[in-house]
Amino acid sequence: MIASLVFGMVVGMAAPCSVCEESPERLYGFGPYNGSVSTPEEILGYELGSRHTVLMDQERVLDAITGTSDRDRVFYYGQSTEGRPLRAVAFSSPKNIARLDAIQANLKKIANGEAGDPDMPALVWINECIHGDETASFESAMALMYNLAASENPEVVAALDKVVVMVNPCYNPDGHERYVVAYNSIPNGNGKEGTFDRAIPWPFLGRANHYRFDMNRDRIALSQAETRAEVRFVLDWNPQVYADQHGQVENYFMPPVQQSINANVDRDRYNKWTDIFGRATAGAFDREGWSYYIRDSFDLYAPCYLDSFVSLTGAIGMTHETNGGRLVNIEERDGFVVTLREGLEKHVVSAMSVILSSAAKRDELLSDYLAFKKKAVSGEHAGDFRTVVMRGTAEDLERMQLQLGRAGVKSVMARDVMLRDARNYWNGGQGDVQVTENCLVVDMAQSHGPMAKALLEPMSEFEPDFIERQKGLANAMKKGENYPEIDSFEFYDLTAWSLPYAYGLEAWWSPKSAEIPTAMMMTGTGVYAVENTVGYALRYDERSDLLRVFELLRRGVRVSQLTKRTPVQGTVFEPGTFIVMKQRNPDLDFAAMGFEEPRNQWEVLGTSYPDEGRYGPGGESVRHLRKPTLGVVFGNAGELSGGSFWFLMDKEFFLPYRSLMTRSVGGALKDLSCLVVPAGVELPVDDRLREWISDGGSLVYLGGNASGLIPTKSRSSFPWLPGALFRGEMDSSHWMSYGYARDAEGKVKIALPVSGSTFAEADDNSVVTVSQNGVLSGWVWDDSAEIVGGTSWVQSRSMGNGSVTWFADDPTDRAQWPGLWKMLLNAMILGAE
């Protein structure tokens, strides 16, 4: 039987497989079974794999199985964006289920670097269906839960004494339901090329969640409701093993993975265990006659994936990819048919292989996990990268602290901090730094120190042989030659993400601990004593300042903005400061609107007369803002672009907008102050659009092609850049720079994500350019700094009373670059006059 095979391989015994001959059924090869527990087929009324199961029916299976078993406990850990329940089930022996709370407490103790009870089990996590239309994992969850609840096979029973298995049967219910309901409603199942079930429109595909986020790229930003709920649940349990089951590939993939592997997971430990689990799974597949592949395509470098994220917490994170699913069956060109049934069978076998091999090596698994956590808590894991100190606005620091906290990382707000032997993130300068302002301090000596280091360090190192292979292939390609080691570059995703850069914060790291006299955040609201009131001023420092002004404009308040440095009544208001003047709002009840409440931070203007010079609150340099009405063009029917922008508008900015099809834009323009065009949307440029811009409209492109309105020249890079961070240069006189802090030289610190092979030359329309020699983080080629340096990342062209703004890359991508969002909001709200 399958169980005997896997267990025998792990412990080094030649185990018979008597039940395999008696029961060729691959889903249920772990018998005998408890007859009081119904099979999924008995509950559903059809064979698993013969059709796609909807969530409601999977929940019926879950409830029926767990309702008749003494081996499980069901957890409700959250809900999806669309309100569907998120549930997980813990399976183990009846003894362990009865003491599950004590087991959880023991795992927390070990996670804090303390020795645990040697009689307690390890925790193995099996995750299904993060990509909703990779349906084999969703279907396999039901068979897996049945095996864990009902199998009376001696090896399975013994394994459940040594491990608790947490099964998450559907990580992404919104994406799954969107897809399978559409799929089940059309003719399907033929399998041949060109059949109708291969033509489901893009908006109904289910890989992503409600906001069309790929949640297997969301473990840096931690932005989505499903991500936050699951991460919170995982961090509360501290698993030792985490297998994430996917599709759709040409053949089954199992670990070990290819390079690069993030150094913070302890590469030696990770490679050891993925080899153990890979060989156990491979043995089971070999016995079934199934082929598979390892160490190809999938890496473990960026912390944005489920497997890499949990590996940074100390678990052995793995991705399994099956080649059946999404369609009920697929006939390949040679006539071979890949079925949903076979795909889910493979996932059940691989999950059981991981579970049984974890149980067989429980003691060693827990010992290695404890050693990893001891190094984390002591700070040994971090080497010289001991402490990070970040300085910025109060809101940015609070957001950073919240994001780190969601990843389990502890930090402290402080001021008057001394950091000795500090290294500056932005210029590499070294020396002692005294941070007198509010700052955020992160010490790597903590349980989730490896996570903290991975998220915060300026750059994560690559393996020397990985570097050699990529450069070797690049050189061979330039010469038109073959390279014997690899056929394509081994970059699976982005190579730079450092959070201090992503937020645009001043930051330093040091091999020493910070000297912190107090852990108090202290803020002040400057209040000026004046005799008269001609208006009110709001300094533009935080994103929330602009959003508050947006709401005032929508409510009919006339708001203006200073464009020059303005000295008045003993203080200086910087460009970008918002002002609301009584003369322009004669009927406004300022007290009722909260202008006089100190907490709202509006400062009273008692005069329009400047202290010196020509620029005052009543001067001609003041620009008057337009009441904003926003539109977003998501594409035509059958298309949907801009999911990350959609999410930010709904959940971060909380701004109202009108969603538009491309073909309906012309008729809507008269009602809009701003139109946003996400990457992937082709918007025709006609006279009506040009006239709308000239009349004061703001058109904003989030990547894509704006050549019809902003002509550019380009330069190329070969090979392409997989995704790095470069320092940017912002025109500090431009209105898009308003709200950004300046350094002593008047410059804005900003990091730009740069990828691809074609880059726009800078010209008179450039607002943000890539700095010369500006590489901050990530993989670059030897000539990348020269090629990319000086190219344009944001362009803004004035057209009549309006403007066109173009971003070279989407600043909303994955909700991962908050330091760029103020620029985007400026373009949307300030670009229209």
Side-chain angles (χ1 to χ4, degrees):
M1 59 194 250
I2 296 174
S4 297
L5 170 67
V6 175
F7 190 83
M9 286 190 61
V10 171
V11 299
M13 299 170 57
C17 191
S18 57
V19 181
C20 285
E21 287 87 16
E22 298 173 10
S23 178
E25 174 58 71
R26 287 160 169 168
L27 286 187
Y28 306 120
F30 300 90
Y33 290 95
N34 180 346
S36 67
V37 182
S38 297
T39 67
E41 286 79 1
E42 290 171 334
I43 301 163
L44 295 170
Y46 57 84
E47 295 293 316
L48 287 180
S50 64
R51 61 168 296 162
H52 289 307
T53 304
V54 296
L55 180 67
M56 178 181 68
D57 288 335
Q58 189 198 65
E59 290 184 317
R60 287 200 298 120
V61 172
L62 185 156
D63 290 338
I65 289 174
T66 58
T68 54
S69 168
D70 59 356
R71 294 184 187 174
D72 57 70
R73 185 188 296 181
V74 180
F75 295 89
Y76 171 85
Y77 68 87
Q79 67 178 23
S80 71
T81 302
E82 295 176 7
R84 294 183 173 90
L86 302 175
R87 298 203 286 180
V89 187
F91 292 93
S92 196
S93 65
K95 172 187 174 183
N96 287 337
I97 293 298
R99 59 174 182 165
L100 200 55
D101 292 344
I103 292 170
Q104 184 182 20
N106 188 63
L107 293 173
K108 285 184 178 179
K109 184 178 180 181
I110 301 172
N112 286 317
E114 303 174 39
D117 184 341
D119 183 49
M120 290 287 193
L123 177 59
V124 178
W125 203 288
I126 308 295
N127 183 70
E128 310 287 10
C129 203
I130 188 172
H131 293 149
D133 56 7
E134 296 175 3
T135 51
S137 60
F138 180 93
E139 304 292 329
S140 72
M142 293 179 279
L144 176 62
M145 289 189 292
Y146 173 75
N147 277 289
L148 295 172
S151 173
E152 295 181 347
N153 177 278
E155 286 88 357
V156 175
V157 171
L160 292 178
D161 271 334
K162 294 186 174 183
V163 295
V164 173
V165 183
M166 189 74 76
V167 178
N168 185 347
C170 186
Y171 189 112
N172 179 13
D174 294 352
H176 179 267
E177 293 302 277
R178 183 171 64 246
Y179 175 75
V180 300
V181 170
Y183 185 91
N184 288 343
S185 70
I186 62 174
N188 62 68
N190 180 276
K192 294 185 179 293
E193 184 72 29
T195 52
F196 197 67
D197 58 355
R198 300 191 184 201
I200 292 178
W202 162 251
F204 297 99
L205 296 181
R207 177 183 178 89
N209 74 340
H210 171 82
Y211 284 109
R212 302 328 193 253
F213 259 71
D214 183 341
M215 291 190 291
N216 201 31
R217 304 294 187 277
D218 191 37
R219 289 299 176 96
I220 295 173
L222 300 170
S223 66
Q224 300 303 291
E226 298 88 344
T227 303
R228 292 175 181 178
E230 200 264 1
V231 167
R232 184 169 56 246
F233 190 52
V234 168
L235 294 180
D236 204 34
W237 276 93
N238 301 292
Q240 284 68 62
V241 179
Y242 188 110
D244 183 26
Q245 301 206 305
H246 287 254
Q248 251 47 64
V249 289
E250 294 298 317
N251 201 7
Y252 201 94
F253 171 82
M254 63 184 69
V257 299
Q258 73 175 18
Q259 293 177 332
S260 182
I261 296 170
N262 194 293
N264 295 294
V265 304
D266 185 344
R267 287 168 176 159
D268 290 342
R269 171 177 171 267
Y270 183 79
N271 288 329
K272 165 191 168 180
W273 283 102
T274 52
D275 185 67
I276 289 171
F277 293 130
R279 289 181 183 277
T281 306
F285 273 48
D286 290 343
R287 190 61 172 261
E288 293 293 340
W290 289 332
S291 62
Y292 49 86
Y293 67 100
I294 63 171
R295 293 192 182 94
D296 196 5
S297 300
F298 304 100
D299 68 4
L300 200 92
Y301 185 70
C304 58
Y305 322 120
L306 269 69
D307 57 1
S308 55
F309 182 92
V310 295
S311 296
L312 289 165
T313 72
I316 303 301
M318 297 173 284
T319 292
H320 292 161
E321 299 265 354
T322 193
N323 58 327
R326 185 171 291 133
L327 307 181
V328 171
N329 55 69
I330 304 171
E331 183 176 319
E332 298 181 348
R333 291 185 177 181
D334 63 356
F336 179 73
V337 178
V338 180
T339 65
L340 171 61
R341 174 71 178 203
E342 184 173 294
L344 73 97
E345 288 174 343
K346 290 177 178 178
H347 269 336
V348 170
V349 170
S350 66
M352 291 299 293
S353 299
V354 169
I355 292 164
L356 294 171
S357 52
S358 296
K361 291 185 172 289
R362 176 199 64 176
D363 294 346
E364 186 178 357
L365 189 63
L366 285 170
S367 176
D368 281 7
Y369 177 79
L370 174 61
F372 180 87
K373 286 298 190 180
K374 283 184 174 180
K375 289 181 179 179
V377 171
S378 70
E380 179 185 348
H381 74 95
D384 287 339
F385 193 83
R386 177 60 185 255
T387 307
V388 172
V389 175
M390 293 166 278
R391 179 172 63 192
T393 68
E395 286 187 9
D396 281 341
L397 293 178
E398 288 167 3
R399 291 189 184 102
M400 172 69 84
Q401 186 173 46
L402 180 61
Q403 183 169 342
L404 291 172
R406 287 182 175 133
V409 175
K410 296 178 181 178
S411 59
V412 61
M413 290 285 192
R415 65 185 311 166
D416 297 325
V417 172
M418 171 60 75
L419 189 64
R420 302 191 185 278
D421 196 17
R423 280 75 161 177
N424 187 291
Y425 268 66
W426 295 91
N427 59 29
Q430 184 173 343
D432 296 348
V433 173
Q434 180 83 39
V435 184
T436 58
E437 304 90 339
N438 299 324
C439 62
L440 186 65
V441 182
V442 184
D443 194 314
M444 301 302 127
Q446 56 175 293
S447 176
H448 292 298
M451 179 73 70
K453 183 170 180 285
L455 293 175
L456 295 172
E457 63 186 345
M459 176 77 181
S460 185
E461 66 181 43
F462 295 100
E463 300 90 339
D465 49 337
F466 174 86
I467 296 172
E468 182 180 351
R469 287 196 304 274
Q470 312 320 304
K471 291 187 173 182
L473 176 60
N475 291 332
M477 292 174 69
K478 289 177 179 179
K479 298 175 182 178
E481 301 173 352
N482 292 324
Y483 184 66
E485 294 291 324
I486 51 175
D487 298 320
S488 59
F489 296 111
E490 296 172 290
F491 306 110
Y492 189 68
D493 207 280
L494 80 172
T495 64
W497 55 83
S498 176
L499 293 186
Y501 293 137
Y503 276 78
L505 299 175
E506 291 188 271
W508 302 263
W509 66 270
S510 171
K512 299 180 180 180
S513 296
E515 300 169 19
I516 307 175
T518 178
M520 293 178 59
M521 172 69 87
M522 300 177 63
T523 58
T525 63
V527 177
Y528 300 90
V530 296
E531 296 180 2
N532 304 307
T533 301
V534 301
Y536 295 84
L538 176 66
R539 300 176 191 270
Y540 182 12
D541 298 315
E542 310 277 11
R543 188 196 318 160
S544 62
D545 298 331
L546 181 57
L547 297 179
R548 287 160 59 196
V549 166
F550 178 95
E551 183 58 28
L552 289 175
L553 290 166
R554 287 188 68 237
R555 295 171 66 178
V557 179
R558 295 182 182 89
V559 184
S560 304
Q561 192 171 37
L562 303 179
T563 65
K564 302 294 184 181
R565 200 165 185 266
T566 303
V568 65
Q569 61 191 33
T571 188
V572 175
F573 293 103
E574 297 295 336
T577 298
F578 300 106
I579 57 173
V580 177
M581 305 300 287
K582 278 193 170 184
Q583 177 180 316
R584 296 183 62 83
N585 295 274
D587 299 324
L588 184 64
D589 187 338
F590 284 84
M593 295 288 288
F595 281 86
E596 297 175 3
E597 296 181 21
R599 65 184 176 88
N600 289 332
Q601 297 181 311
W602 285 95
E603 300 173 29
V604 177
L605 292 175
T607 180
S608 292
Y609 198 94
D611 293 344
E612 60 182 40
R614 58 193 288 188
Y615 299 118
E620 292 186 357
S621 62
V622 174
R623 64 198 303 255
H624 305 305
L625 303 182
R626 180 177 173 182
K627 182 177 180 178
T629 50
L630 309 179
V632 185
V633 53
F634 288 104
N636 281 319
E639 306 167 351
L640 180 57
S641 297
S644 55
F645 178 76
W646 175 22
F647 165 74
L648 290 179
M649 291 291 281
D650 281 5
K651 300 296 185 181
E652 283 286 336
F653 305 153
F654 301 103
L655 294 180
Y657 59 92
R658 180 175 173 182
S659 61
L660 297 167
M661 292 188 295
T662 307
R663 67 188 185 192
S664 64
V665 165
L669 287 174
K670 65 182 184 300
D671 300 321
L672 302 176
S673 66
C674 174
L675 180 67
V676 178
V677 185
V681 174
E682 294 293 331
L683 181 67
V685 176
D686 56 21
D687 290 341
R688 184 158 47 172
L689 182 65
R690 292 178 185 274
E691 183 179 348
W692 171 79
I693 299 169
S694 294
D695 286 344
S698 174
L699 182 63
V700 181
Y701 288 90
L702 306 182
N705 182 9
S707 59
L709 293 168
I710 304 182
T712 59
K713 297 180 180 180
S714 63
R715 61 178 76 163
S716 299
S717 169
F718 181 82
W720 53 274
L721 272 177
L725 284 173
F726 285 73
R727 186 184 298 107
E729 301 285 342
M730 183 184 290
D731 179 355
S732 58
S733 67
H734 196 276
W735 49 263
M736 284 188 68
S737 73
Y738 291 168
Y740 282 92
R742 272 70 167 164
D743 62 17
E745 299 176 354
K747 296 183 178 180
V748 175
K749 288 183 171 65
I750 193 165
L752 307 173
V754 178
S755 61
S757 59
T758 304
F759 310 98
E761 296 273 8
D763 57 25
D764 291 341
N765 295 316
S766 298
V767 178
V768 179
T769 57
V770 180
S771 300
Q772 300 289 348
N773 300 313
V775 178
L776 292 172
S777 181
W779 180 278
V780 294
W781 305 105
D782 292 341
D783 58 358
S784 293
E786 180 180 353
I787 292 173
V788 178
T791 59
S792 185
W793 204 87
V794 178
Q795 291 189 310
S796 183
R797 177 189 177 193
S798 295
M799 293 180 59
N801 291 322
S803 64
V804 181
T805 302
W806 171 78
F807 291 85
D809 287 274
D810 183 359
T812 72
D813 186 37
R814 301 184 185 178
Q816 198 168 303
W817 313 108
L820 306 176
W821 297 346
K822 206 180 292 181
M823 265 198 301
L824 170 61
L825 290 168
N826 285 347
M828 292 163 53
I829 300 171
L830 307 183
E833 290 195 32

